[in-house]
Amino acid sequence: GLQGEAGVEGLLDDLELENPFDGDFVLNPERQDQEKRMQYEFAQENPYKDTLNPLELAKKLIREEKSQEAILVLQAEVQKNAASSEGWRLLGQLHAENDEDEAAVACLLRGIDADPYNTTSLLTLGISCANLLDRDEALEHMRNWVKFNPQYSKLAEGWLAWDNNTTTLTDKQVAMKNMLTNALKINPNDPHLLEALGVCHFLTRELDSSEKLFKSALNLQPDNCSLWNKLGSTLQQAGKVEESIQAYHRALELHPNYPRVWVNLGIT
């Protein structure tokens, strides 16, 4: 894998390069064009291709922790109905859980193409881009998540008026953190806001703040295994290995077949 720091969900094992979060470093300065990022490889053989109601079956399989079968069923769903924003969102979420961020991004981009106002997809997409260390892209999707959220859209008009060609990455990060902090004053009990702000602080290497924010979100959503994984990853980056292992184990108690957590634990 790439050497350097890892995203908020996953850790990479070789830490030989200088910290890529210093200054205005961007991992992929030449952004792949959107079409290329949206390319997704379907399974050659899919036993679920003729399923009558694939979306409902996929949700049932996800509840039963059968993620590989659910991926095939969701592939059948989006092949039948390319405009199924929810199908693409769930497929992207499963790939993210499997530590397959590029596939996750492809699915989530397609879901947003079908429904640009799907706020759940926008936040998940922002986090997957953060995992790939594409901070510009992550901030762009998180900005849209705020912009299309009826509770916070007015705040977004002032705080997030940046120009992608002229505004520096540092300025975007400051604007995003300010906006999310102000949104929390409106609704301090929104776990998604706390999660988004935690990711922003992770991207700027403010790990203590990130840890506090994920813990606050977990106070509101104690059974959210994805948050436990993010907390574990943050603690691990901060050198708090024992605490990170406890967070990962809590995630696995809630979701035993969570590949991303098993990968992180293996690195610990």
Side-chain angles (χ1 to χ4, degrees), residues 74-186:
L74 287 165
Q75 287 186 359
E77 160 71 11
V78 297
Q79 283 178 298
K80 281 182 179 181
N81 176 14
S84 174
S85 178
E86 186 65 0
W88 285 115
R89 182 187 74 77
L90 289 169
L91 190 53
Q93 186 179 302
L94 287 173
H95 280 301
E97 288 178 7
N98 281 351
D99 205 23
E100 298 161 350
D101 283 303
E102 286 183 7
V105 166
C107 294
L108 293 161
L109 282 171
R110 289 199 184 201
I112 284 161
D113 197 46
D115 175 11
Y117 304 103
N118 188 324
T119 51
T120 311
S121 287
L122 285 164
L123 183 57
T124 309
L125 180 54
I127 291 165
S128 281
C129 288
N131 290 331
L132 290 168
L133 297 182
D134 191 341
R135 293 186 292 168
D136 260 309
E137 188 94 350
L139 289 165
E140 189 62 34
H141 295 305
M142 288 167 79
R143 170 169 77 160
N144 286 334
W145 170 69
V146 177
K147 193 168 149 188
F148 298 136
N149 189 315
Q151 276 186 289
Y152 313 123
S153 53
K154 286 224 165 107
L155 275 174
E157 288 168 19
W159 284 104
L160 301 184
W162 67 55
D163 181 321
N164 279 321
N165 297 316
T166 58
T167 308
T168 68
L169 181 60
T170 302
D171 286 345
K172 288 179 190 177
Q173 287 174 157
V174 170
M176 191 78 218
K177 283 191 281 193
N178 284 341
M179 198 288 312
L180 292 171
T181 302
N182 277 280
L184 275 172
K185 291 173 187 170
I186 296 170

Side-chain angles (χ1 to χ4, degrees), residues 208-236:
D208 285 347
S209 297
S210 191
E211 177 188 338
K212 284 174 192 160
L213 287 156
F214 290 141
K215 283 179 174 174
S216 296
L218 280 163
N219 286 336
L220 298 163
Q221 287 188 331
D223 293 339
N224 185 324
C225 48
S226 175
L227 278 172
W228 281 109
N229 181 55
K230 288 182 182 69
L231 176 62
S233 189
T234 303
L235 290 164
Q236 194 169 349

Side-chain angles (χ1 to χ4, degrees), residues 8 12 60 73 106 160 199 207 264:
V8 69
L12 303 172
K60 178 175 178 286
V73 175
L160 301 184
V199 170
L207 297 176
N264 288 344

